[in-house]
Amino acid sequence: MPRRRQRHVAGSGSDGTEDSDSSAEREQTNSSESDGNMPKRQRLTRASTRLSQSSQGHFPAPARAGDHDESPPLTPTGNAPSSESELDISSPNASHDESQAKDPTNRDSDKDLSHRPKRRRCHETYNFNMKCPTPGCNSLGHLTGKHERHFAVSGCPLYHNLSADECKTPTSKQSKYKEQVAEMRKGRNSGLQKEQKEKHMEHRQTHGNTREPLLENITSEYDLELFRKAQARASEDLEKLRIQGQITEGSNMIKTILFGRYELDTWYHSPYPEEYARLGRLYVCEFCLKYMKSQTILRRHMAKCVWKHPPGDEVYRKGAISVFEVDGKKNKIYCQNLCLLAKLFLDHKTLYYDVEPFLFYVMTEADNTGCHLVGYFSKEKNSFLNYNVSCILTMPQYMRQGFGKMLIDFSYLLSKVEEKVGSPERPLSDLGLISYRSYWKEVLLRYMYNFQGKEISIKEISQETAVNPVDIVSTLQSLQMLKYWKGKHLVLKRQDLIDEWKAKETKRGNNNKTIDPTSLKWTPPKGT
């Protein structure tokens, strides 16, 4: 390896200021040491040179390309070695380094080093063009007394009506308190005894994470008392926020959510992360469904959010109503946020994060600002029981407007295209059961109104409507249209119910709250 060129600089240990003993030791060491120790002396010399220059107010100039080979090596943290303690002294010639450590010039350099900030990666020194914003301050000194300069009001001695010297020298009260703390911390145990360790382990195995670990004998009584006071103060602050209504406790942690131009009251608990769940109000982007803690964060997010509709493919559009097919595997974050949002209004929902085996069909209503979420339903990609709906929800602001039946009708339309008989996954929520029974009743009455034959077959009804025969039978029983007579089940055609349904249909008119099969552009997915 080529030997590096040695530089002679002023202010280093080679300027003849060493004492005689140290010089004699160096001469003896130089006669016996190998060439491999030369770079180390050069590093130490250059380090002391920089320290001497920094104490006189001079700072090193940026390294030139030609001097790159002679620059000191970086430490593992990326900083240049700024003291002897940072140099590698693990070489066999330790006596030479000890003699260097005894040198008075180096000791003076170490004193200067305590006031000099460490070198940072990608930065040679502080940016001294920065200035403290306090009027009349020259940016010298620091409130802590540990730094020579400051660049913010928080560390400005002048702002705190102090001088730089006062910050460096602690007051008598501070010194007395420091001595008291040191005295109180002398009683800290060096470690737990065997019996104490067994007691701690037994407590942990008995209670697990439901109890706080035993803290006695781990630290000093003074530190333990400080910790207890901090716990009490934090709980007091949380209690104040709870009284003010900003934090709620119980099964339903989130009381309201701000969703688009609506403020919605939640019905059930949803497993949002703890730092969000303990807030009284949650702010949700109505397009990407990202949840946030404050109105300010939401406003900044909406200013840069590029989403105006759900991800995935638009498989249906008629007028302002669209349906998007979203794959849980391709758009995992969106589907997880959708499930967390839906849990606020569903009681029996248990799917939150495992969304990859599901497809989500999201219904939206479009205007000049984007496609607003109306509701959605999810279905398994491969369902062995032919479930065409796993979870279904209509947003509260769109309830009782016919959108729930549209979602159900759309799910059965997909089953017809797949040439399958579908049924929703159980258990159904209370509102879901009401919606499905209303939909099944309407489907059966429409079928009977248009039926011209003499005998009605449940199998034929199922094949034409894609409704499961079990659901058809339960609906007929609730309408009292299924009777058992002479060992056979008979379907009665109740004309009064059919006439009542027809009158409601005529009165309702054409409100565009129906699914048009011709507007569907969808083919069944193959495999997963």
Side-chain angles (χ1 to χ4, degrees):
M1 182 176 181
R3 184 179 301 175
R4 297 183 181 177
R5 185 177 54 185
Q6 188 171 357
R7 305 169 76 184
H8 300 278
V9 292
S12 67
S14 60
D15 60 354
T17 60
E18 299 177 349
D19 56 358
S20 59
D21 296 337
S22 181
S23 300
E25 288 181 12
R26 176 164 302 181
E27 291 176 1
Q28 296 175 3
T29 306
N30 288 341
S31 62
S32 60
E33 67 182 359
S34 61
D35 294 341
N37 293 328
M38 293 296 294
K40 184 177 297 184
R41 289 202 304 273
Q42 295 171 14
R43 298 178 195 173
L44 188 61
T45 301
R46 284 192 295 273
S48 58
T49 301
R50 287 195 303 272
L51 295 176
S52 176
Q53 291 175 353
S54 64
S55 64
Q56 299 175 8
H58 301 286
F59 302 97
R64 284 180 267 180
D67 297 333
H68 178 70
D69 294 336
E70 301 179 6
S71 61
L74 297 179
T75 62
T77 59
N79 300 327
S82 56
S83 69
E84 296 181 40
S85 60
E86 293 187 63
L87 293 174
D88 185 9
I89 58 174
S90 59
S91 62
N93 301 298
S95 60
H96 169 71
D97 298 322
E98 292 176 358
S99 63
Q100 289 276 356
K102 294 179 182 178
D103 186 74
T105 306
N106 293 335
R107 286 200 300 269
D108 294 339
S109 300
D110 290 341
K111 292 181 181 178
D112 298 335
L113 177 64
S114 62
H115 302 291
R116 181 172 180 263
K118 286 188 176 182
R119 295 162 63 93
R120 300 179 181 178
R121 186 187 295 271
C122 301
H123 295 277
E124 288 293 326
T125 57
Y126 274 144
N127 183 6
F128 287 93
N129 293 326
M130 297 176 60
K131 293 183 179 180
C132 177
T134 304
C137 181
N138 57 3
S139 299
L140 295 178
H142 198 276
L143 183 63
T144 61
K146 299 180 180 180
H147 308 284
E148 290 187 351
R149 301 179 67 87
H150 66 276
F151 306 105
V153 174
S154 59
C156 179
L158 182 62
Y159 177 81
H160 294 88
N161 301 316
L162 296 172
S163 64
D165 295 334
E166 289 176 346
C167 293
K168 289 182 179 180
T169 305
T171 62
S172 58
K173 185 177 180 180
Q174 291 174 339
S175 301
K176 186 177 180 181
Y177 178 75
K178 188 175 181 179
E179 293 176 358
Q180 292 177 354
V181 171
E183 186 67 25
M184 286 185 289
R185 284 176 171 169
K186 284 183 179 179
R188 180 174 60 184
N189 295 331
S190 58
L192 295 176
Q193 302 297 329
K194 184 177 180 181
E195 296 80 5
Q196 296 171 346
K197 288 183 179 180
E198 293 178 354
K199 183 179 179 181
H200 282 240
M201 291 299 297
E202 182 181 357
H203 180 273
R204 184 175 181 179
Q205 292 175 358
T206 304
H207 301 287
N209 296 329
T210 60
R211 296 283 186 89
E212 181 185 72
L214 296 179
L215 303 178
E216 289 76 11
N217 300 319
I218 292 181
T219 184
S220 64
E221 294 294 332
Y222 171 76
D223 292 322
L224 183 59
E225 184 180 358
L226 285 180
F227 179 71
R228 295 298 186 194
K229 289 181 179 179
Q231 281 184 319
R233 183 173 180 179
S235 62
E236 183 179 357
D237 294 341
L238 289 175
E239 187 67 20
K240 291 180 181 179
L241 294 176
R242 188 189 64 80
I243 294 175
Q244 296 173 2
Q246 299 182 20
I247 294 181
T248 57
E249 296 180 358
S251 59
N252 187 13
M253 301 295 289
I254 302 173
K255 283 188 174 182
T256 60
I257 63 170
L258 194 66
F259 190 80
R261 58 180 181 272
Y262 299 97
E263 183 176 350
L264 307 176
D265 294 332
T266 61
W267 302 345
Y268 303 102
H269 169 71
S270 182
Y272 279 95
E274 183 179 357
E275 61 268 26
Y276 296 89
R278 64 187 179 197
L279 300 174
R281 175 182 292 183
L282 202 62
Y283 301 85
V284 183
C285 175
E286 62 175 331
F287 298 116
C288 68
L289 304 185
K290 180 181 179 181
Y291 45 90
M292 287 147 277
K293 294 182 179 180
S294 66
Q295 178 78 38
T296 303
I297 301 176
L298 176 63
R299 184 170 61 252
R300 292 176 178 175
H301 170 79
M302 295 301 296
K304 60 184 179 181
C305 184
V306 297
W307 290 33
K308 295 301 178 184
H309 60 79
D313 302 325
E314 185 179 15
V315 297
Y316 177 88
R317 181 192 293 181
K318 183 179 181 182
I321 303 299
S322 298
V323 178
F324 293 82
E325 182 185 59
V326 185
D327 192 339
K329 187 176 182 179
K330 297 179 181 179
N331 304 278
K332 189 174 182 179
I333 301 299
Y334 178 87
C335 296
Q336 288 177 349
N337 291 340
L338 181 60
C339 291
L340 289 173
L341 177 65
K343 184 60 182 71
L344 294 171
F345 309 102
L346 296 175
D347 188 18
H348 296 91
K349 183 173 178 58
T350 57
L351 171 68
Y352 312 121
Y353 299 106
D354 187 18
V355 297
E356 296 182 4
F358 294 87
L359 292 171
F360 294 80
Y361 293 89
V362 184
M363 180 175 289
T364 62
E365 186 178 32
D367 59 10
N368 56 353
T369 61
C371 298
H372 305 279
L373 178 65
V374 173
Y376 86 100
F377 70 88
S378 61
K379 62 180 295 185
E380 290 184 272
K381 297 177 181 178
N382 292 315
S383 177
F384 296 102
L385 299 177
N386 287 333
Y387 288 140
N388 61 358
V389 168
S390 296
C391 179
I392 187 170
L393 169 74
T394 304
M395 294 298 292
Q397 67 269 29
Y398 291 101
M399 288 183 176
R400 303 185 64 84
Q401 300 180 31
F403 290 107
K405 287 186 178 180
M406 289 183 67
L407 284 170
I408 297 174
D409 194 17
F410 188 81
S411 67
Y412 280 105
L413 177 59
L414 299 183
S415 297
K416 293 177 183 178
V417 176
E418 292 177 313
E419 298 180 354
K420 294 180 180 180
V421 174
S423 180
E425 186 176 337
R426 267 67 172 186
L428 289 169
S429 62
D430 297 336
L431 293 177
L433 182 60
I434 293 174
S435 300
Y436 266 96
R437 282 182 175 175
S438 176
Y439 174 79
W440 291 331
K441 174 183 175 181
E442 184 176 336
V443 167
L444 289 177
L445 293 177
R446 181 183 292 108
Y447 179 85
M448 291 185 179
Y449 176 79
N450 297 324
F451 183 73
Q452 302 296 332
K454 294 181 179 180
E455 295 183 359
I456 298 178
S457 171
I458 294 178
K459 184 177 180 180
E460 292 177 357
I461 298 176
S462 177
Q463 291 176 350
E464 184 170 340
T465 61
V467 179
N468 193 290
V470 177
D471 299 330
I472 295 176
V473 171
S474 64
T475 306
L476 290 175
Q477 288 176 343
S478 64
L479 295 175
Q480 297 182 357
M481 297 177 66
L482 189 64
K483 297 294 183 181
Y484 185 78
W485 186 69
K486 292 184 178 182
K488 294 183 180 181
H489 290 281
L490 302 178
V491 177
L492 303 179
K493 187 176 180 180
R494 292 185 56 180
Q495 193 63 36
D496 56 338
L497 293 178
I498 297 175
D499 294 342
E500 182 181 354
W501 165 80
K502 186 60 180 176
K504 289 182 178 179
E505 283 286 310
T506 304
K507 184 178 179 180
R508 190 181 305 166
N510 186 14
N511 56 1
N512 294 327
K513 291 296 191 299
T514 57
I515 294 294
D516 184 8
T518 60
S519 299
L520 177 66
K521 307 297 180 183
W522 180 79
T523 55
K526 297 180 181 180
T528 57

